[in-house]
Amino acid sequence: MNHRHHLELRHIRITLDDHCLVELDARVGPGEVLTVMGPSGSGKSTLLAFLAGFLSEAFDATGRVLLDGQDITPFPPEKRGMGLLFQDPLLFPHLSVAGNLRFGLPPASPDKAERVEQALAQIGLESFGDRDPDTLSGGQKARVALMRLLLSNPCAVLLDEPFSKLDTHLRHEMRQLVFDRLHDAGLPTLLVTHDHDDARDAGGQVIELS
């Protein structure tokens, strides 16, 4: 199942009222993490919105996003093959833990129940399928969100400070889990953060936005 995807950001330039927020040229190989750092307001989230396909029309953006050599810049968000992980796990409260994972699976997937069971085992939550997501700890919710993302078979992953709300002792463990999983899946990943520990654990190229 291991596809070798690569992501290319060509001459990306995003401006707001003639003020340049982001200028970026980068290539992210399979399983690599590119970290984009900067303080609040430096354009990190704006960059993610542009890559994911939902940048507000208030911004002017030029440049191209290529996934496996294909220009996906004109595509709507759902056709881009990008998986997103946010600060909040954003689990569906009306679905069980297993239901949340099932939601990640592409509609035509065979053996959904079995795949969900395997996914729960992979994140150490075997008996948690019927649980309400609200009963999970922060770390458990983060693991379910990560596994739901992986089950959706993305071609690239965008991480929007997904560790910032976790307790300090959980952060390192969660970073290892996330980066190991994305590396094993061969997924090019872009992480935006203001935390130098995130960048260090990601272990890839770091670009600082001023």
Side-chain angles (χ1 to χ4, degrees), residues 100-178:
N100 268 278
L101 292 179
R102 213 166 14 248
F103 184 87
L105 287 164
S109 305
D111 311 323
K112 282 190 180 177
E114 193 180 320
R115 290 193 60 192
V116 166
E117 284 303 312
Q118 287 172 346
L120 286 167
Q122 284 175 354
I123 51 174
L125 297 175
E126 287 89 344
S127 56
F128 283 69
D130 296 333
R131 292 270 292 267
D132 177 335
D134 273 350
T135 65
L136 302 185
S137 69
Q140 289 167 337
K141 287 179 184 172
R143 278 185 274 165
V144 173
L146 169 66
M147 191 45 79
R148 182 177 66 183
L149 169 95
L150 291 172
L151 288 174
S152 70
N153 288 336
C155 300
V157 173
L158 305 175
L159 302 177
D160 188 1
E161 309 217 20
F163 315 110
S164 62
K165 293 197 172 173
L166 296 172
D167 295 338
T168 313
H169 70 279
L170 266 179
R171 273 188 214 174
H172 178 67
E173 179 191 325
M174 204 50 218
R175 282 194 290 253
Q176 294 301 117
L177 178 71
V178 169

Side-chain angles (χ1 to χ4, degrees), residues 10-15 22 24 50 60-64 73:
R10 274 196 200 160
H11 314 308
I12 307 286
R13 189 169 195 270
I14 305 173
T15 56
V22 178
L24 192 61
F50 174 66
D60 284 312
T62 54
R64 297 192 301 151
T73 325

